[in-house]
Amino acid sequence: MAASSAAPAKDAPNVVVRNKALLTISVMAAMLMQVLDTTIANVALPHMQAALGATQDSITWVLTSYILAAAVAIPLTGWLAARYGARNLFIASVVLFVVASIFCGIATSLSEMVVFRLLQGVGGAFLAPLAQTIMLDVNRPSEHAKAMSIYGMGVMIGPILGPIIGGWLTENYNWRWVFFVNIPIGLACLVGLWFLLPRKPNTPRKFDMVGWGMLAIGLAGLQLMLDRGPHVDWFTSNEIWIEAGIAVTGLWMFAVHMATAPKPLFPPAMIQDRNLVSGTLLMFVIGVVMMAAMALLPPLLQNLFGYSVLDTGIILSSRGAGVLLTTALTGRIAGVVDQRLLLGLGFAIMAGSLGLMTGWSLEMDWRPIVLSGFIQGLGLGLVFVPLTVLSFATLPNEYRTDAASLLNLSRNLGASVGIAIVTALLARNIQVSHADIAGTVTPYNLPADPSMVSVLGSGGDTIMSGLDAMVNKQAAMIAYLDDFYFMMFATLAGLPLLLLLRKPKRKADEDDLPHMAME
């Protein structure tokens, strides 16, 4: 399965393969497996806690360890692919991910689970960037929009399907199947990748250990701060101050190193590409909005509206339906419509859907939730494909893997920041709203006089507990609405960045670069 050079050709794929359809299925299955695992384990945490003998606080390290390992490893994707080959790295990543999934499924203690999740995070870190690079390499430039629409479906649908599949497996089988489900998918991926994914000539480059070390320290501090903040009351804890200091120091030193080192971790020519930098910032905004919504809605539907885990997943699947519809449509029309217009329309639709969510109330049924979710999915589908295509449009092919890792890192960081912000705002605004509502409660607007219920004994206590629960529920709903306002404004704040994107010339899309052919 060696590759050989072929004559240059306009609008030709950078890599020619025997069966592009089967390779696409294999690549997307691997990527979807990784994306699912970022959310599939969330619903199983209470069951893991009991089985592993963990506390409510310590069990969150099951999620933290995975996110931390992925964040630190993603920047290595470009160098590892150049040093060992994208094919070898992709196959090794799938093997590590599947093996780590098996060990997670048989873990008997929290310490074992954390170690195995770290390994799983390292294996999964490289899958999404490599999948994106391969999808671009095996398709002609004129087909990049269609390729990214397929890729975008996996990225957007994964976090939506994760809680549904995780909840179903946990309720009907066992929480360990949340990890064991990766085994058949991973093995099928390996077969397809082994026989269909070609080798490309390696172009080893010097590894910037200093740059990666600074970035790894900064990202580790930032991820720990964002993940641990809600559990230790943020900056009232010395732990958060230490992690914030590590994050700022590491990221600042990395930025200085990038500007002064002769051969930094990311190629300077790549960082100077305006479309890529703008796309990275916009991908951060998408990460904030997409994952913040997925973090808020399940507890809202389950705790305030009383839906089961499975019903919650079904209601939220309307978002995925919207994503699938516009993602497929965008892949077809992106070649004839200015993709910046599609991108702007997508952001506007997302902001509009969040505006609809600010009008929710505890008296409504499931229909407004499904409608706003579907509309938001339509916007996300319009955003992801044009943004990805424009980010790579003016970038030379040799920078694709590094650029893909940067875009995925930005989306993951955006998700972490978004979840941390909305979680902190939710906790704070619940307290504020509870105090505001309680201040308006008087004996004259209550169904019972508080001074008289004491004579009822336990019955009076029940009445007062019920009243307090009503106040808590209303306060929580107001706090959720405040979060939706924040997400709407965050989406609108990303619109000015669209002005920085350049529309690529047709000539720039049709690189006269040698392409690879399977022998």
Side-chain angles (χ1 to χ4, degrees):
M1 289 190 297
S4 63
S5 298
K10 290 186 176 182
D11 198 30
N14 195 41
V15 175
V16 177
V17 295
R18 289 174 179 167
N19 193 317
K20 188 171 69 173
L22 286 179
L23 177 61
T24 298
I25 293 173
S26 300
V27 168
M28 290 306 302
M31 197 278 299
L32 184 61
M33 177 177 66
Q34 182 270 333
V35 175
L36 279 173
D37 247 60
T38 60
T39 57
I40 195 172
N42 295 35
V43 295
L45 283 184
H47 301 270
M48 292 185 198
Q49 180 181 340
L52 301 177
T55 63
Q56 187 172 2
D57 182 61
S58 62
I59 194 62
T60 59
W61 282 100
V62 173
L63 305 179
T64 303
S65 55
Y66 182 92
I67 296 171
L68 186 64
V72 172
I74 281 179
L76 292 173
T77 309
W79 178 81
L80 288 172
R83 176 66 179 82
Y84 299 103
R87 168 188 161 84
N88 294 335
L89 180 59
F90 206 152
I91 291 174
S93 297
V94 173
V95 170
L96 178 59
F97 192 87
V98 172
V99 171
S101 297
I102 295 173
F103 283 121
C104 286
I106 62 175
T108 58
S109 67
L110 179 62
S111 57
E112 289 181 3
M113 177 63 78
V114 170
V115 171
F116 298 145
R117 283 285 280 178
L118 283 169
L119 292 176
Q120 193 183 37
V122 172
F126 309 123
L127 295 181
L130 289 173
Q132 192 170 26
T133 303
I134 292 169
M135 292 293 288
L136 291 170
D137 280 345
V138 301
N139 287 277
R140 298 193 303 269
S142 60
E143 296 177 336
H144 280 178
K146 293 181 181 179
M148 288 302 96
S149 71
I150 297 173
Y151 178 85
M153 290 178 190
V155 171
M156 298 295 180
I157 298 301
I160 297 171
L161 292 180
I164 301 175
I165 297 174
W168 185 81
L169 289 173
T170 302
E171 288 183 359
N172 292 278
Y173 294 95
N174 186 283
W175 66 264
R176 297 183 185 276
W177 279 97
V178 167
F179 300 106
F180 290 150
V181 73
N182 292 327
I183 299 174
I185 300 174
L187 292 178
C189 291
L190 283 175
V191 173
L193 294 173
W194 184 267
F195 289 104
L196 297 174
L197 186 61
R199 291 186 178 90
K200 294 170 59 178
N202 295 356
T203 54
R205 64 179 193 244
K206 185 178 179 181
F207 179 51
D208 182 16
M209 176 63 76
V210 175
W212 176 74
M214 294 174 182
L215 181 60
I217 291 172
L219 290 176
L222 178 62
Q223 289 285 6
L224 284 173
M225 181 190 77
L226 295 173
D227 198 71
R228 293 286 298 160
H231 304 287
V232 295
D233 200 17
W234 291 101
F235 288 97
T236 60
S237 168
N238 290 332
E239 175 190 341
I240 298 301
W241 280 105
I242 293 172
E243 290 162 356
I246 292 173
V248 171
T249 302
L251 295 176
W252 171 254
M253 292 177 67
F254 172 73
V256 173
H257 179 78
M258 280 290 298
T260 57
K263 292 184 177 181
L265 182 65
F266 294 114
M270 184 188 83
I271 301 299
Q272 293 167 5
D273 187 276
R274 193 169 80 182
N275 272 24
L276 177 63
V277 173
S278 304
T280 301
L281 295 175
L282 286 165
M283 195 65 77
F284 181 87
V285 175
I286 292 175
V288 169
V289 176
M290 181 177 71
M291 291 309 297
M294 292 310 301
L296 288 176
L297 293 177
L300 168 65
L301 297 181
Q302 293 171 39
N303 299 333
L304 298 188
F305 289 91
Y307 292 109
S308 66
V309 173
L310 195 56
D311 287 340
T312 296
I314 294 172
I315 291 173
L316 295 180
S317 64
S318 64
R319 200 167 180 238
V323 169
L324 289 174
L325 180 61
T326 49
T327 300
L329 176 64
T330 305
R332 293 182 176 275
I333 67 173
V336 296
V337 179
D338 189 337
Q339 297 181 47
R340 294 172 298 178
L341 295 178
L342 293 175
L343 196 53
L345 178 61
F347 268 88
I349 292 175
M350 287 169 57
S353 70
L354 291 165
L356 289 176
M357 292 166 67
T358 61
W360 285 2
S361 70
L362 291 172
E363 288 72 34
M364 68 181 189
D365 58 15
W366 54 268
R367 281 171 288 192
I369 305 171
V370 170
L371 176 62
S372 60
F374 179 73
I375 294 174
Q376 191 173 123
L378 294 177
L380 282 169
L382 284 173
V383 164
F384 191 84
V385 176
L387 178 57
T388 307
V389 173
L390 287 171
S391 297
F392 287 95
T394 58
L395 198 68
N397 291 355
E398 61 265 27
Y399 298 139
R400 279 178 180 167
T401 305
D402 283 297
S405 67
L406 194 62
L407 286 171
N408 281 276
L409 177 62
S410 178
R411 190 181 72 248
N412 291 348
L413 286 177
S416 298
V417 171
I419 291 173
I421 291 175
V422 297
T423 303
L425 286 175
L426 184 67
R428 176 184 176 278
N429 289 337
I430 286 177
Q431 295 177 352
V432 173
S433 299
H434 187 281
D436 291 341
I437 295 174
T440 65
V441 175
T442 68
Y444 303 103
N445 56 18
L446 289 176
D449 187 346
S451 62
M452 301 299 295
V453 296
S454 58
V455 301
L456 301 176
S458 59
D461 293 337
T462 302
I463 293 174
M464 294 306 296
S465 296
L467 292 174
D468 185 60
M470 290 176 61
V471 172
N472 288 335
K473 201 171 183 180
Q474 291 291 341
M477 190 67 216
I478 293 172
Y480 276 109
L481 298 182
D482 290 338
D483 271 354
F484 297 152
Y485 274 111
F486 161 76
M487 292 160 60
M488 180 181 69
F489 291 132
T491 304
L492 293 173
L495 283 173
L497 293 172
L498 301 181
L499 301 175
L500 300 176
L501 291 168
R502 293 183 297 177
K503 182 180 179 180
K505 296 179 181 179
R506 184 64 182 167
K507 185 68 177 176
D509 283 337
E510 296 176 350
D511 296 321
D512 291 342
L513 294 177
H515 63 281
M516 312 306 300
M518 291 279 292
E519 286 187 342

